[in-house]
Amino acid sequence: MTERFVVIPVGQSDNENIEVDSNSVPDDDGEEGTGGDGDNQGVIPILEYSREPNKYGDGNPKESSPFINNTDNDKGTLYDGKNMALFEEEMDSNPMVSSLLSNLANYTNLTQGVREHEEADEEEGAKKKAVTSPQMGTFIGVYLPCLQNILGVILFLRMTWIVGTAGILETFIIVAMCCTCTMLTAISMSAIATNGVVPAGGSYYMISRSLGPEFGGAVGLCFYLGTTFAGAMYILGTIEILLTYIVPNAAIFKAEDKEHEAEALLNNMRVYGTCCLALMSIVVFVGVKYVNKLALVFLACVVLSILAIYAGVIKTIFEPPDFPICLLGNRSLQNHNFDKCLKTEEIDNVTVTTQLWGLFCDGPSLNASCNDYFRDNEVTQVQGIPGLLSGVISENMWSAYGPSGMLVEKINFPSRPATNTSQDVYMPYVVNDIATFFTLLVGIYFPSVTGIMAGSNRSGDLRDAQKSIPIGTILAIATTTFIYLSCVVLFGACIDGTVLRDKFGDSVKGNLVIGTLSWPSPWVIVIGSFFSCCGAGLQSLTGAPRLLQAIARDGIVPFLEVFGHGKANGEPTWALLLTAAICETGILIASLDAVAPILSMFFLMCYLFVNLACALQTLLRTPNWRPRFKFYHWALSFLGMSLCLALMFISSWYYALVAMMIAGCIYKYIEYRGAEKEWGDGIRGLSLNAARYALMRLEEAPPHTKNWRPQVMVLLNVDSEMSVKHPRLLSFTTQLKAGKGLTIVGNVLEGTYLTKETEAKRAETNIKSAMSAEKTKGFCHVVVSSNLRDGFSYLIQSAGLGGMKHNTVLMAWPGTWKQSNDPQSWRNFIETIRETTAAHQALLVAKNVDSFPTNQDRLGEGTIDVWWIVHDGGMLMLLPFLLRQHKVWRKCKMRIFTVAQMDDNSIQMKKDLQTFLYHLRLDAEVEVVEMHDSDISAFTYEKTLVMEQRSQMLKQMQLSRTEREREIQSITDESRSSIRRKNQPGSSGSSTRRQSAQLEDNKADEAQLIHDRNTASHAAMNDKADAAPERVHMTWTKEKFFTERNRHRVEPNANMGVRDLFNMKPEWESLNQSNVRRMHTAVKLNEVVVNKSQGAHLVLLNMPGPPRNRGGDENYMEFLEVLLEGLNRVLLVRGGGREVITIYS
């Protein structure tokens, strides 16, 4: 009985209770018909429990209240009752419990399989009728379907042959192994099936949701292939029964002699099997409901056949059936073309030959030439079914394996050996049609224990699936195990060994061997097995397309999406066509014994992963793993998994490898091309545990130099549309990393997370899309911070986890820093450099990154030039090696340049460097560049002067925008005139003329840049102190400067242009000499690099550190700009303070 609530306003009498009833409908004003007037406004409602029929949440009044906007426009968003006003803003995302329970009460788990399609067929697009709640119990819903699916064609057609060939003991072992495997799998499956609702798809759904889309898709397709080949096996069984036991004369291909009988049988199987497949496919396509209605008939056939076998066994105790077999010596004969088991007989006192004589002799006369074995041995007739108490069980206890063509002989029966066996193949002996051995019989037998998933596939039809599936499935397996094991013993105890090894019943006049044992007639088994195989084939052709449709509709395998479509009522038409085509390949094999091991592989792989899923979930102890079935253990699941794997390789190691290869290919395809699904699977949990363990191990000690590789943090920028500005940074990362190590792509948005949440999500989505397009494997991390400076700092400090942290930062050079209206952009850049240095992380800065090659480019013959100025731990030499591992840079050669000073031995430096590279196992050309001391050019002074004047102006001027621009223009004009005066035509010296030409060419650009930079400066620069002179780390020192100046003063023939340099103007003499020296180094080094490496595909260069005094930050940017001028692709490299490459192994 359902419950309802009654609202009792406090202060009213009991007879004034306001019942909340479904008939109380709000009127047009949004108020209830009862209790909606103003008299009850101050009343506090109390919920009283009532047990009258109603549903949770139905009819509850939405009360009028001054605090609730109860209007017509937002009726749909109102909550029930104002006593929950504290939660009113969360009602959209967090519904009331009463509403949740109401939805659950109204939920109907639709009947699975094909009942929905039947309804659509019957109603022809009309509104579907209400689906009654499923009422099937354990016996009807699980036990009988599993029984019907497990008992099948192998029992009727091959069980006796397996017992005769392998012997009772080995057959018992085969049956016990296979049934144990399915029992353990059923225990694991019961745990998974009772851990929540299992929708359509059965085993595929269980595996995919437990092991993830990759495993689920791979195993789901293997299970589909297994079900499809099972259909082929059942059809072949149907045709074998039809042509061998029911209407043998219907064969189209007939062999003229005995040696071609097997080939003719296979051709007949192909023709009739194809016709049968076409007929069954049409039946499935036209009306699946007829197949389901006939399922009870097919089940009845199976049950009656089993009962007939047991009845026949009991009857043999009292009256064994009369099925004599004819033996020549100890050889069994095909009892087709003779009626009497005699060589000769007496008719009217005359000895005449029989039909048997004619089969072995040239003619009917007694003097005819006969086969030697026929002449030497007597013909004996024995009972093929001696009975349960005959003691024949001792003869059938052991195996009788043999090659193809081996004669079936009665064990321990007297005979004279043949002297000539060359003619035996033409004689009517019973022979092995295939070579027999233990592992082959395992593969042939295993399909007879499949079908345990029938109950889980019908979970929607069950009254209580979580109770019925475990009980019904395990009872069905226990029942069939008892049937199989008892049949092994009973067949071996009742039937003669020669008859058991006679696969097609040739020795008993072409009767089905198991039929000879049945009561009351062999036709009970023949007809029962025929309809059983027909029904099983139809059900395979019904279930396999729906399984494929479920996989296709999940969208995890892109090329299967077309098979998710079908008729208007949902019938999987295209999937049925594919199933029929695959099934036809099995029919063309034409041999039941060859098809059975194939489907054994696919079913065993499916069962293997069911056990793996259960074991994995149990060991990981995931919070959602709460199966109602409690009788499981991870050790049982692992035992079942191991047994499945062993049976796969026992049955056929090459089929097992092929099945695994197919599953592996599907797995990798889904991994690379399939849709990403998050199903809370166990593999994700296993990955999480493995990652945690690995991270804990990494935390123990820092990586050794031999294991060091750049773990890159890529600092990306996005535009106003949240699109990636420099996607080539990701391309370069991919080329540098080749998918190895850690890559974190970081981005910072300015603002607060509450206001920027949507933009952050969109930016993250766009960055992930760009990473996917550029094939960058890594993680995305978008941070929202009050300012960009702090955001980048947070990323550098906290990105990564434990030992899996980045050690290298990659960013783009701020190419528009001079034109930017906000000086904060280049300040952030410099602060990022300082923070990476403080964090002991390497830094890579890519200039002109948009011109870097994409992943699709293939650079031809060219060079990667490394300018090794200062030692940085080996980063400069490691990076080109890593780049050349990628196909984009593979053809590039590596060149290493180093700079020699005036007092260095260049030749020895080159030899030492070549030796060093040899020990590092790096192939590179080595060149030592000599940079002689030279005077500081006028260009350098003017460049420094312009830089410092601009900095001073931005620090000191507190003017309006108009006055600032006017002052900037006057300084610009003065700088131009100064440059012209210093570079008159009368000046001599090639160096001075070259500098003069450069100034003339660039003067307009410089003036414009000065104007732009000063106009865009921020007033906050007034706080900064002047830069103090610093010690020079490069090629120019103060001592060298004075030495060179004195040398030029005393030389009478010194170049006039050079002497002019030291007749400095007052403004030149006031320059910061540290800035002059730095500018001189940048200019000279740039000249050398441009001269040597302008045509290189990539230039790697040591990145000078920023000044310790922040007052010179803008000057630092100028130095770098001058250093990189004229170069296309440049990667500035700054080491992290540790060795990253070693000469040791």
Side-chain angles (χ1 to χ4, degrees):
M1 179 180 292
T2 57
E3 297 84 5
R4 64 186 300 186
F5 293 97
V6 179
V7 179
I8 305 176
V10 176
Q12 295 184 357
S13 60
D14 294 341
N15 59 357
E16 292 178 316
N17 291 353
I18 304 172
E19 273 201 8
V20 181
D21 194 75
S22 58
N23 297 324
S24 300
V25 181
D27 56 20
D28 292 338
D29 295 330
E31 298 179 350
E32 301 293 340
T34 60
D37 53 350
D39 296 337
N40 296 326
Q41 289 297 321
V43 175
I44 302 174
I46 297 178
L47 292 178
E48 179 180 277
Y49 190 70
S50 175
R51 285 192 172 273
E52 296 183 21
N54 201 351
K55 290 183 179 179
Y56 295 108
D58 288 356
N60 286 347
K62 298 175 176 60
E63 299 176 341
S64 175
S65 169
F67 303 106
I68 304 174
N69 296 325
N70 194 5
T71 62
D72 292 339
N73 294 332
D74 52 7
K75 282 181 183 178
T77 62
L78 293 177
Y79 61 91
D80 296 345
K82 60 188 177 185
N83 57 340
M84 288 294 156
L86 185 62
F87 301 96
E88 64 179 320
E89 294 182 355
E90 302 180 24
M91 290 300 168
D92 292 337
S93 58
N94 302 327
M96 292 287 293
V97 174
S98 59
S99 302
L100 175 66
L101 296 177
S102 175
N103 292 334
L104 291 175
N106 294 329
Y107 170 74
T108 302
N109 191 356
L110 289 178
T111 306
Q112 296 163 337
V114 294
R115 285 177 53 179
E116 306 97 323
H117 307 318
E118 292 175 23
E119 292 171 7
D121 280 338
E122 293 168 0
E123 297 176 16
E124 296 295 336
K127 184 178 179 180
K128 287 191 176 182
K129 60 187 178 184
V131 180
T132 59
S133 59
Q135 295 296 322
M136 297 177 68
T138 303
F139 185 76
I140 299 295
V142 181
Y143 180 77
L144 290 181
C146 284
L147 208 66
Q148 179 187 358
N149 279 268
I150 294 172
L151 299 171
V153 61
I154 300 296
L155 172 65
F156 300 124
L157 294 183
R158 294 292 182 269
M159 193 67 183
T160 54
W161 174 71
I162 293 174
V163 173
T165 304
I168 295 175
L169 288 180
E170 292 188 24
T171 306
F172 204 88
I173 293 173
I174 292 173
V175 174
M177 278 198 309
C178 295
C179 291
T180 303
C181 176
T182 54
M183 180 62 79
L184 293 174
T185 303
I187 292 173
S188 300
M189 183 199 70
S190 299
I192 298 174
T194 57
N195 190 51
V197 179
V198 179
S203 59
Y204 159 70
Y205 183 91
M206 289 190 296
I207 295 171
S208 61
R209 269 55 177 182
S210 297
L211 293 178
E214 294 88 1
F215 277 112
V219 180
L221 286 177
C222 285
F223 189 55
Y224 162 75
L225 291 174
T227 308
T228 305
F229 275 102
M233 184 187 72
Y234 290 126
I235 292 173
L236 289 174
T238 303
I239 303 304
E240 184 176 314
I241 294 170
L242 179 69
L243 294 180
T244 307
Y245 307 112
I246 300 178
V247 281
N249 296 327
I252 298 175
F253 301 92
K254 297 183 179 180
E256 296 180 357
D257 49 20
K258 185 189 172 193
E259 60 181 338
H260 296 101
E261 285 180 358
E263 185 179 348
L265 176 62
L266 294 181
N267 289 330
N268 285 317
M269 299 278 279
R270 293 185 180 103
V271 174
Y272 278 96
T274 302
C275 297
C276 183
L277 173 62
L279 183 62
M280 287 184 175
S281 300
I282 292 173
V283 170
V284 171
F285 178 77
V286 172
V288 181
K289 55 186 176 182
Y290 303 114
V291 178
N292 290 340
K293 289 176 181 178
L294 288 173
L296 190 60
V297 177
F298 300 142
L299 176 61
C301 292
V302 173
V303 174
L304 287 176
S305 300
I306 299 295
L307 293 177
I309 293 171
Y310 282 106
V313 169
I314 295 173
K315 183 176 178 294
T316 62
I317 301 175
F318 313 105
E319 184 183 352
D322 185 24
F323 283 98
I325 60 172
C326 189
L327 299 176
L328 177 61
N330 63 352
R331 298 179 180 180
S332 178
L333 298 177
Q334 294 182 356
N335 197 353
H336 290 301
N337 299 321
F338 60 91
D339 52 356
K340 295 179 181 179
C341 186
L342 296 170
K343 290 184 179 181
T344 60
E345 59 179 340
E346 294 276 341
I347 299 178
D348 298 331
N349 294 325
V350 177
T351 302
V352 296
T353 59
T354 61
Q355 292 175 330
L356 181 60
W357 181 280
L359 297 175
F360 287 90
C361 300
D362 293 342
S365 66
L366 293 174
N367 297 325
S369 176
C370 297
N371 180 268
D372 292 343
Y373 190 81
F374 180 76
R375 185 183 64 248
D376 297 338
N377 290 275
E378 296 299 324
V379 176
T380 310
Q381 182 171 295
V382 298
Q383 279 298 326
I385 315 292
L388 189 63
L389 303 179
S390 63
V392 73
I393 187 172
S394 60
E395 297 179 8
N396 297 329
M397 194 66 69
W398 313 108
S399 62
Y401 302 119
S404 176
M406 186 186 80
L407 301 178
V408 175
E409 300 174 343
K410 185 172 176 61
I411 301 173
N412 299 326
F413 203 77
S415 68
R416 293 182 180 179
T419 56
N420 182 14
T421 60
S422 60
Q423 298 299 314
D424 290 348
V425 67
Y426 303 106
M427 299 296 110
Y429 296 125
V430 178
V431 298
N432 285 349
D433 62 328
I434 59 174
T436 55
F437 40 90
F438 179 81
T439 57
L440 172 74
L441 299 185
V442 173
I444 293 175
Y445 173 76
F446 188 81
S448 65
V449 297
T450 60
I452 62 175
M453 300 288 186
S456 64
N457 292 343
R458 296 166 177 251
S459 60
D461 301 334
L462 304 174
R463 188 184 304 116
D464 185 359
Q466 297 191 350
K467 175 185 176 183
S468 298
I469 289 176
I471 295 175
T473 305
I474 292 175
L475 282 180
I477 294 175
T479 303
T480 53
T481 302
F482 170 77
I483 292 173
Y484 284 134
L485 292 175
S486 62
C487 283
V488 169
V489 176
L490 294 176
F491 290 165
C494 295
I495 306 175
D496 190 82
T498 54
V499 179
L500 286 174
R501 292 191 294 278
D502 184 3
K503 183 186 290 187
F504 301 107
D506 292 322
S507 61
V508 286
K509 295 186 179 296
N511 281 297
L512 182 62
V513 174
I514 196 173
T516 61
L517 185 63
S518 65
W519 180 86
S521 167
W523 286 101
V524 175
I525 296 290
V526 172
I527 300 302
S529 60
F530 178 79
F531 283 109
S532 171
C533 292
C534 282
L538 282 171
Q539 288 180 342
S540 294
L541 290 178
T542 302
R546 280 161 182 77
L547 178 59
L548 181 63
Q549 187 181 45
I551 298 172
R553 287 182 172 175
D554 259 346
I556 60 174
V557 186
F559 70 83
L560 290 181
E561 288 181 359
V562 65
F563 299 108
H565 308 297
K567 293 196 295 186
N569 62 350
E571 282 290 323
T573 309
W574 293 107
L576 177 61
L577 289 176
L578 179 63
T579 302
I582 297 174
C583 195
E584 176 65 18
T585 62
I587 289 172
L588 292 178
I589 296 174
S591 173
L592 185 70
D593 304 318
V595 173
I598 297 176
L599 65 100
S600 295
M601 291 304 111
F602 293 124
F603 278 117
L604 278 168
M605 182 167 289
C606 178
Y607 296 164
L608 183 149
F609 281 102
V610 169
N611 284 296
L612 176 62
C614 180
L616 202 60
Q617 298 277 31
T618 306
L619 289 175
L620 292 177
R621 298 177 183 176
T622 50
N624 192 53
W625 181 245
R626 303 184 300 275
R628 290 191 177 277
F629 180 76
K630 302 298 182 183
F631 304 101
Y632 67 94
H633 193 271
W634 64 266
L636 293 177
S637 299
F638 265 117
L639 180 61
M641 184 180 68
S642 304
L643 195 53
C644 288
L645 190 63
L647 286 173
M648 286 177 68
F649 282 92
I650 288 173
S651 302
S652 175
W653 64 268
Y654 45 90
Y655 279 159
L657 291 178
V658 170
M660 288 182 172
M661 192 178 301
I662 292 173
C665 291
I666 298 171
Y667 178 95
K668 297 306 290 185
Y669 177 82
I670 296 174
E671 185 179 22
Y672 283 106
R673 298 293 304 276
E676 293 184 3
K677 302 285 184 180
E678 177 51 66
W679 288 334
D681 51 84
I683 293 297
R684 295 292 180 108
L686 182 63
S687 301
L688 183 62
N689 274 358
R692 182 188 61 83
Y693 175 76
L695 286 173
M696 296 297 290
R697 290 292 303 273
L698 285 175
E699 191 76 4
E700 295 176 1
H704 191 273
T705 303
K706 291 184 290 187
N707 296 325
W708 194 95
R709 67 167 61 246
Q711 317 287 7
V712 180
M713 155 75 77
V714 185
L715 298 182
L716 275 186
N717 290 326
V718 295
D719 55 20
S720 58
E721 299 296 326
M722 299 298 138
S723 299
V724 177
K725 278 188 177 180
H726 301 295
R728 296 290 177 87
L729 266 181
L730 298 175
S731 304
F732 183 73
T733 306
T734 302
Q735 296 156 22
L736 182 64
K737 301 284 292 177
K740 303 294 190 301
L742 174 69
T743 301
I744 302 175
V745 180
N747 173 251
V748 178
L749 299 180
E750 196 167 8
T752 62
Y753 187 72
L754 293 179
T755 59
K756 294 284 187 177
E757 178 187 4
T758 305
E759 289 88 340
K761 296 281 178 60
R762 191 162 79 249
E764 185 173 357
T765 302
N766 292 340
I767 291 175
K768 286 182 177 179
S769 300
M771 292 172 66
S772 177
E774 300 296 338
K775 299 180 180 179
T776 304
K777 296 181 180 180
F779 309 98
C780 177
H781 197 175
V782 177
V783 172
V784 181
S785 176
S786 57
N787 59 74
L788 298 178
R789 165 76 189 82
D790 291 342
F792 286 125
S793 178
Y794 299 154
L795 281 176
I796 292 172
Q797 293 179 61
S798 61
L801 181 63
M804 202 64 175
K805 291 180 67 69
H806 61 280
N807 55 29
T808 305
V809 175
L810 172 62
M811 59 193 302
W813 170 260
T816 59
W817 70 275
K818 285 189 176 182
Q819 290 80 24
S820 175
N821 294 325
D822 183 11
Q824 202 62 35
S825 61
W826 54 263
R827 291 178 185 168
N828 290 338
F829 174 75
I830 297 177
E831 289 302 313
T832 303
I833 298 174
R834 288 194 173 102
E835 293 209 344
T836 55
T837 303
H840 301 290
Q841 296 174 3
L843 177 65
L844 309 178
V845 178
K847 185 193 177 191
N848 298 330
V849 69
D850 292 328
S851 67
F852 276 50
T854 65
N855 292 326
Q856 288 72 37
D857 293 338
R858 300 292 180 269
L859 298 179
E861 296 293 335
T863 61
I864 301 176
D865 287 359
V866 176
W867 285 84
W868 192 21
I869 310 300
V870 295
H871 182 55
D872 57 355
M875 276 287 290
L876 276 170
M877 286 172 285
L878 182 62
L879 293 177
F881 169 77
L882 295 175
L883 282 175
R884 291 179 63 207
Q885 306 304 307
H886 196 274
K887 51 192 173 184
V888 173
W889 304 89
R890 190 163 293 157
K891 293 183 179 180
C892 296
K893 294 181 180 180
M894 178 177 168
R895 294 194 303 178
I896 295 184
F897 296 89
T898 189
V899 176
Q901 301 301 315
M902 186 176 293
D903 53 352
D904 292 329
N905 187 338
S906 303
I907 299 175
Q908 187 62 39
M909 280 182 65
K910 184 173 182 179
K911 289 181 180 179
D912 294 342
L913 183 54
Q914 287 173 337
T915 304
F916 183 55
L917 292 177
Y918 175 79
H919 288 301
L920 289 175
R921 290 92 64 200
L922 295 176
D923 296 325
E925 297 179 11
V926 175
E927 187 170 344
V928 177
V929 178
E930 296 180 353
M931 287 184 62
H932 298 294
D933 293 336
S934 60
D935 293 316
I936 301 175
S937 65
F939 174 76
T940 301
Y941 275 106
E942 291 299 333
K943 197 83 172 173
T944 310
L945 175 63
V946 170
M947 178 183 71
E948 290 201 358
Q949 286 180 338
R950 178 172 56 199
S951 299
Q952 291 171 4
M953 176 187 63
L954 294 176
K955 292 174 183 176
Q956 297 173 0
M957 290 177 56
Q958 298 291 341
L959 304 173
S960 66
R961 183 175 181 82
T962 305
E963 293 173 327
R964 187 183 306 169
E965 291 181 359
R966 190 181 305 120
E967 185 67 23
I968 291 169
Q969 188 61 42
S970 65
I971 295 175
T972 302
D973 295 340
E974 183 180 353
S975 298
R976 285 178 177 175
S977 60
S978 174
I979 292 172
R980 289 194 188 99
R981 286 197 306 271
K982 203 64 195 170
N983 293 278
Q984 291 298 324
S987 300
S988 60
S990 59
S991 174
T992 307
R993 285 197 300 271
R994 184 165 61 252
Q995 299 294 346
S996 176
Q998 287 182 348
L999 288 174
E1000 289 296 332
D1001 293 337
N1002 298 328
K1003 59 186 180 181
D1005 294 337
E1006 285 183 2
Q1008 183 61 38
L1009 290 177
I1010 294 170
H1011 178 76
D1012 293 341
R1013 285 291 297 127
N1014 288 290
T1015 304
S1017 297
H1018 198 275
M1021 292 187 64
N1022 297 324
D1023 301 333
K1024 298 194 175 182
D1026 292 339
E1030 294 181 25
R1031 189 169 64 88
V1032 179
H1033 295 276
M1034 302 296 286
T1035 62
W1036 188 263
T1037 63
K1038 190 172 183 180
E1039 292 77 15
K1040 289 185 178 181
F1041 171 77
F1042 287 112
T1043 302
E1044 286 297 305
R1045 184 174 63 179
N1046 294 332
R1047 182 171 61 87
H1048 284 288
R1049 281 178 178 175
V1050 299
E1051 287 178 2
N1053 298 326
N1055 186 288
M1056 292 298 296
V1058 174
R1059 285 206 303 268
D1060 286 342
L1061 297 180
F1062 298 97
N1063 297 327
M1064 298 181 183
K1065 291 178 54 178
E1067 62 221 32
W1068 286 15
E1069 293 174 349
S1070 63
L1071 290 177
N1072 187 316
Q1073 294 304 308
S1074 175
N1075 287 341
V1076 173
R1077 293 193 304 275
R1078 288 173 180 268
M1079 184 64 75
H1080 174 71
T1081 301
V1083 171
K1084 297 299 292 182
L1085 189 56
N1086 174 259
E1087 288 181 4
V1088 175
V1089 174
V1090 170
N1091 183 39
K1092 295 285 186 179
S1093 302
Q1094 194 165 22
H1097 287 315
L1098 180 64
V1099 176
L1100 281 79
L1101 190 65
N1102 280 119
M1103 184 177 191
R1108 294 186 179 88
N1109 191 324
R1110 285 176 169 77
D1113 283 356
E1114 185 179 5
N1115 299 340
Y1116 174 71
M1117 295 297 291
E1118 288 281 3
F1119 297 146
L1120 292 182
E1121 193 73 56
V1122 171
L1123 180 63
L1124 304 178
E1125 188 176 356
L1127 298 173
N1128 183 19
R1129 298 178 187 142
V1130 184
L1131 187 67
L1132 289 173
V1133 181
R1134 188 163 175 78
R1138 62 162 294 170
E1139 293 292 332
V1140 300
I1141 194 168
T1142 178
I1143 63 174
Y1144 299 105
S1145 61

